[in-house]
């Protein structure tokens, strides 16, 4: 008797990693032994797009100013969406500058580095943290592009920036007063 559970999302719940999904076939029961298998192609898309959000966040701050803060994001295998604070629509030159900055970091093909630091040390070293997010005393700091982007993050990332491929913004819209949304693709 074979069972299959398709994981659609994972979330941290206390000290546990919760797997959210649906039973694909069979039935799950206590004591059942399962083998985990990552959908490699899907994961590659998520990894590229997630890593690109970090570079784009840094490029937005470089282009528009330090007032830019992440307000939300969606990372899917085929695209990314990034919501951020900015009081007005971006003009074509700004969108081009962000695209060029992200692609320059990708082209440099630098190592992506993950460090574990105390929260206080990470902030002292300039790591970006999401406002309102709760962090443990030890955090994971992701650095890309020789510290072009330094953020607290527990997500999955490329090994080198060049693994992202190309980056292209496909849309830019306003979603609320002072909140902009960029949709982009990579690969």
């Amino acid at each position: 008797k074979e069972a299959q559970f398709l994981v659609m999302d994972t979330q941290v719940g206390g000290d546990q990693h919760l797997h959210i999904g649906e039973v694909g076939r069979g039935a799950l029961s206590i004591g059942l032994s399962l083998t985990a298998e990552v959908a490699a192609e899907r994961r590659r898309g998520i990894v590229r797009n997630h890593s690109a959000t970090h570079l784009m966040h840094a490029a937005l701050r470089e282009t528009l100013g330090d007032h830019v803060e992440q307000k939300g994001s969606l990372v899917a295998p085929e695209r990314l969406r990034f919501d951020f604070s900015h009081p007005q629509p971006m003009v074509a030159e700004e969108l081009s500058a962000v695209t060029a900055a992200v692609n320059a970091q990708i082209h440099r093909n630098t190592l992506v580095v993950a460090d574990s630091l105390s929260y206080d040390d990470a902030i002292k070293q300039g790591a970006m943290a999401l406002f309102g997010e709760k962090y443990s005393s030890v955090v994971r700091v992701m650095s890309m592009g020789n510290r072009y982007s330094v953020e607290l993050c527990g997500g999955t990332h490329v090994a080198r920036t060049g693994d992202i491929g190309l980056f292209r913004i496909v849309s830019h819209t306003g979603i609320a007063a002072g909140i902009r949304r960029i949709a982009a693709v990579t690969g």
Side-chain angles (χ1 to χ4, degrees), residues 86-182:
H86 188 58
Q88 70 239 10
M90 292 174 67
V91 297
E93 293 80 14
E94 292 167 330
L95 291 166
S96 292
V98 168
T99 299
V102 172
N103 280 314
Q105 292 301 322
I106 291 168
H107 182 72
R108 287 188 181 101
N109 197 29
T110 58
L111 194 62
V112 174
V113 178
D115 287 315
S116 291
L117 300 172
S118 74
Y119 176 83
D120 291 338
D121 285 346
I123 298 304
K124 284 178 195 169
Q125 291 184 22
M128 295 274 304
L130 293 180
F131 179 76
E133 194 78 17
K134 292 185 181 189
Y135 295 100
S136 61
S137 58
V138 176
V139 293
R140 184 166 174 246
V141 180
M142 297 304 304
S143 177
M144 298 180 196
N146 293 326
R147 298 190 58 82
Y148 178 77
S149 167
V150 182
E151 293 190 45
L152 304 186
C153 184
T156 183
H157 292 279
V158 295
R160 302 188 70 86
T161 57
D163 297 340
I164 296 169
L166 291 176
F167 170 84
R168 181 172 164 241
I169 294 174
V170 295
S171 70
H172 166 252
T173 58
I175 59 168
I179 307 293
R180 311 300 305 168
R181 173 174 286 168
I182 286 180

Side-chain angles (χ1 to χ4, degrees), residues 1-71:
K1 186 174 178 178
E2 203 173 290
Q4 179 185 52
F5 182 75
L6 304 169
V7 177
M8 309 306 233
D9 192 15
T10 57
Q11 297 178 9
V12 176
D15 292 334
Q16 300 176 339
H17 289 83
L18 307 173
H19 294 82
I20 300 159
E22 58 188 40
V23 175
R25 68 174 177 266
L28 299 180
S29 60
I30 294 174
L32 184 65
S33 179
L34 299 173
T35 302
E37 183 178 313
V38 174
E41 191 57 35
R42 180 178 189 277
R43 171 65 65 92
R44 274 191 287 278
I46 290 169
V47 166
R48 281 193 313 267
N49 288 327
H50 183 90
S51 296
T53 64
H54 285 256
L55 294 177
M56 184 173 61
H57 191 191
L60 285 164
R61 290 176 59 84
E62 178 181 73
T63 303
L64 303 175
D66 290 341
H67 65 279
V68 170
E69 291 182 353
Q70 179 178 344
K71 297 297 182 183

